[in-house]
Amino acid sequence: MPRLIKNGSIVEDSWLPLEPENETPRAQHILSLDQWEALDEKEGTAVQLESDQPPAPLKAHLGQLSLIAINFPAFTDGRGFSYARELREQGYQGELRAVGNFIRDQIHYLSRCGFNAFHLEQETELEGALSSLEDFSEHYQAASDKTDPLFRRR
């Protein structure tokens, strides 16, 4: 079973990967936005947003989703950072997973925007990536993990 970083630990991934060409996805599969929108029952499902798919269609169903994965097609594409923050500000409490081509140096910042799970292509990099969550001990600016800037926390 594949592994990933979730809530600060390395764990086994219980979700099956996205299969966008599959017209009848099985249970525990991460769905594309089109597959997810076609579902009648959305409770307990997982959906993956691509970088050109803002999270607006999910807004009315945030309490029903178990997992939202956001794909980074390139480490230079920062739209996923904004999508994560938007989802957390709208009240999403479930697993928010970064997938695709992000780099280890971004993991700490991804977590500050609201991501709590990270699926890396190479499982051999999990230990090093896990330590990236602790790259910085203090932050000047507010984010989803600390809503007040440093001057207000002093």
Side-chain angles (χ1 to χ4, degrees), residues 67-92:
L67 173 128
I68 300 173
I70 299 177
N71 185 38
F72 288 82
F75 77 90
T76 56
D77 188 336
R79 292 176 282 186
F81 286 87
S82 299
Y83 296 165
R85 178 144 186 172
E86 182 179 337
L87 286 163
R88 291 300 188 201
E89 287 175 350
Q90 291 174 354
Y92 181 65

Side-chain angles (χ1 to χ4, degrees), residues 82-146:
S82 299
Y83 296 165
R85 178 144 186 172
E86 182 179 337
L87 286 163
R88 291 300 188 201
E89 287 175 350
Q90 291 174 354
Y92 181 65
Q93 298 294 314
E95 180 178 337
L96 190 53
R97 182 183 296 187
V99 299
N101 295 306
F102 58 93
I103 58 175
R104 178 180 168 179
D105 291 352
Q106 293 173 313
I107 290 176
H108 184 82
Y109 300 109
L110 289 165
S111 71
R112 297 218 61 224
C113 292
F115 286 97
N116 63 336
F118 309 91
H119 182 268
L120 285 81
E121 294 296 321
Q122 299 296 321
E123 283 191 29
T124 56
E125 298 175 7
L126 285 173
E127 292 293 334
L130 182 62
S131 69
S132 294
L133 290 170
E134 304 299 324
D135 279 351
F136 303 99
S137 60
E138 194 59 75
H139 307 93
Y140 291 111
Q141 68 277 36
S144 68
D145 62 345
K146 291 185 181 175

Side-chain angles (χ1 to χ4, degrees), residues 21-79:
E21 67 284 345
N22 189 349
E23 291 188 25
T24 56
R26 295 171 283 165
Q28 289 301 111
H29 261 274
I30 298 173
L31 307 176
S32 70
L33 183 58
D34 290 338
Q35 291 169 328
W36 181 81
E37 286 179 320
L39 290 177
D40 292 328
E41 178 57 44
K42 297 180 183 339
E43 186 69 37
T45 58
V47 63
Q48 179 169 310
L49 297 175
E50 299 302 321
S51 63
D52 62 346
Q53 296 174 319
L58 308 179
K59 187 175 183 178
H61 304 279
L62 293 179
Q64 297 175 302
L65 287 160
S66 294
L67 173 128
I68 300 173
I70 299 177
N71 185 38
F72 288 82
F75 77 90
T76 56
D77 188 336
R79 292 176 282 186

